[in-house]
Every structure is written in C-alpha cells, then in structure tokens.
Amino acid sequence: MIKRVFVDSDVILDVALARMPFLENSKMLLSMLENGLAIGFVSSNSIANIYYILRKAGDDAKARFFISSILKYLTIIPTTHANILDALKSNFNDFEDGIQNFSALENQCECIITRNVDDYKKSTLDVYLPVEFLNLFR
C-alpha cells in the first residue's frame, strides 16, 4: 500500500477555501493523512503559495492558523537547487509542477495527489485525483 504521498496545493486549498465540488474528497484525503493511514508531504514553495492565496482571500491570522493546523500531519519537504535545475531541464509544461514533481521524487514520495492530473503527465510517479487515491483504500 502507498505510504508516502505528495499533496499538491490545489487539494489543500480546496479544504481551506471550501471549494465546491472538490471539498469533500479533499477533506477526506487530509483526514486520512491526519489519521496516519499514509504519510503526507507538501513542498516549501507550496506552503508559501498557500499562505499567499489564503491571506488574499481572508486575513493573515486565518492563513497562519490553517497552515499551522495542517502541518500537524503534513511534512514540509524542501525545494532544492537540484529540483529547480531538474524542472528547468524537464518537459513539464508548468515549471512549478516540475518543481513539485522533482521535490516529491527526491523525498521518496510514491505518488502525487492533485486535481490537475494532466499537469503531471510527464511525471514518473503515479498521479491520482483525491477520489482515486481514496478508492485505493476502500
């Protein structure tokens, strides 16, 4: 069974911003990670992006509180110099997704969970929608 999962920021933002119709599956995924059924990872640049979006949508204190809450069960992995170089050399259409991919690979993640599966077509990792990943455990 998959143990180390990289969670893309769109899934986290679905929960933080209660984005419908994605909220329920994303919330169940984060709950699963919170309960230790898999180990969740997020990149340092994802955290910065999540903070920026949440601060714009609400306020600083709420953004910080939400991030503090999820970091109780998600581990931040670094974005390294090598990850940036690999993303620059890659065929990823979206540079940021390339960075995420190479950060996940370097940190031995077994898959990426995202709502934008097409953005990770070039990944060598398995890529799942939240509902697909949840179905692996049913």
Side-chain angles (χ1 to χ4, degrees):
M1 188 55 62
I2 295 171
K3 294 291 183 195
R4 297 174 62 88
V5 301
F6 182 90
V7 183
D8 201 3
S9 56
D10 57 350
V11 175
I12 296 167
L13 287 167
D14 288 344
V15 174
L17 299 171
R19 297 194 293 205
M20 297 305 244
F22 313 109
L23 174 62
E24 199 55 41
N25 285 326
S26 294
K27 193 173 178 180
M28 287 190 328
L29 170 71
L30 293 185
S31 177
M32 188 177 132
L33 298 175
E34 185 175 16
N35 289 309
L37 297 175
I39 304 166
F41 296 89
V42 62
S43 72
S44 54
N45 65 310
S46 285
I47 292 297
N49 290 339
I50 290 165
Y51 169 78
Y52 176 80
I53 292 166
L54 293 180
R55 185 178 53 86
K56 289 282 203 188
D59 67 33
D60 178 74
K62 288 180 182 177
R64 289 173 186 264
F65 178 79
F66 179 80
I67 291 169
S68 294
S69 298
I70 64 169
L71 292 183
K72 291 175 183 169
Y73 55 89
L74 289 175
T75 300
I76 298 174
I77 57 176
T79 298
T80 66
H81 185 89
N83 300 149
I84 302 293
L85 292 176
D86 288 341
L88 285 169
K89 292 184 284 186
S90 76
N91 291 324
F92 273 80
N93 293 334
D94 184 297
F95 176 62
E96 183 180 3
D97 294 330
I99 294 170
Q100 305 288 56
N101 176 74
F102 292 107
S103 294
L105 277 169
E106 185 173 323
N107 287 277
Q108 294 84 41
C109 292
E110 297 169 65
C111 68
I112 296 172
I113 304 171
T114 182
R115 274 195 306 98
N116 300 313
V117 174
D118 287 344
D119 290 346
Y120 291 93
K121 285 182 196 175
K122 309 281 187 198
S123 182
T124 58
L125 294 169
D126 291 329
V127 181
Y128 300 104
L129 292 166
V131 68
E132 293 171 332
F133 187 78
L134 291 168
N135 285 337
L136 294 175
F137 288 84
R138 291 189 175 135

PDB file of all heavy atoms in Angstrom, residues 3 5 109:
ATOM      1  N   LYS A   3       2.450   4.596   1.001  1.00  0.00           N
ATOM      2  CA  LYS A   3       2.675   5.189   2.320  1.00  0.00           C
ATOM      3  C   LYS A   3       3.084   6.659   2.254  1.00  0.00           C
ATOM      4  O   LYS A   3       2.738   7.431   3.116  1.00  0.00           O
ATOM      5  CB  LYS A   3       3.764   4.414   3.071  1.00  0.00           C
ATOM      6  CG  LYS A   3       3.351   3.013   3.420  1.00  0.00           C
ATOM      7  CD  LYS A   3       2.276   3.029   4.469  1.00  0.00           C
ATOM      8  CE  LYS A   3       1.913   1.607   4.864  1.00  0.00           C
ATOM      9  NZ  LYS A   3       0.691   1.530   5.591  1.00  0.00           N
ATOM     10  N   VAL A   5       2.930  10.145   0.320  1.00  0.00           N
ATOM     11  CA  VAL A   5       2.180  10.842  -0.729  1.00  0.00           C
ATOM     12  C   VAL A   5       2.493  12.335  -0.714  1.00  0.00           C
ATOM     13  O   VAL A   5       2.574  12.951   0.346  1.00  0.00           O
ATOM     14  CB  VAL A   5       0.661  10.606  -0.602  1.00  0.00           C
ATOM     15  CG1 VAL A   5       0.331   9.131  -0.691  1.00  0.00           C
ATOM     16  CG2 VAL A   5       0.092  11.194   0.659  1.00  0.00           C
ATOM     17  N   CYS A 109       8.648  10.184  -2.311  1.00  0.00           N
ATOM     18  CA  CYS A 109       7.187  10.068  -2.353  1.00  0.00           C
ATOM     19  C   CYS A 109       6.827   9.030  -3.406  1.00  0.00           C
ATOM     20  O   CYS A 109       7.520   8.891  -4.418  1.00  0.00           O
ATOM     21  CB  CYS A 109       6.543  11.412  -2.679  1.00  0.00           C
ATOM     22  SG  CYS A 109       6.753  12.626  -1.353  1.00  0.00           S
TER      23      CYS A 109
END
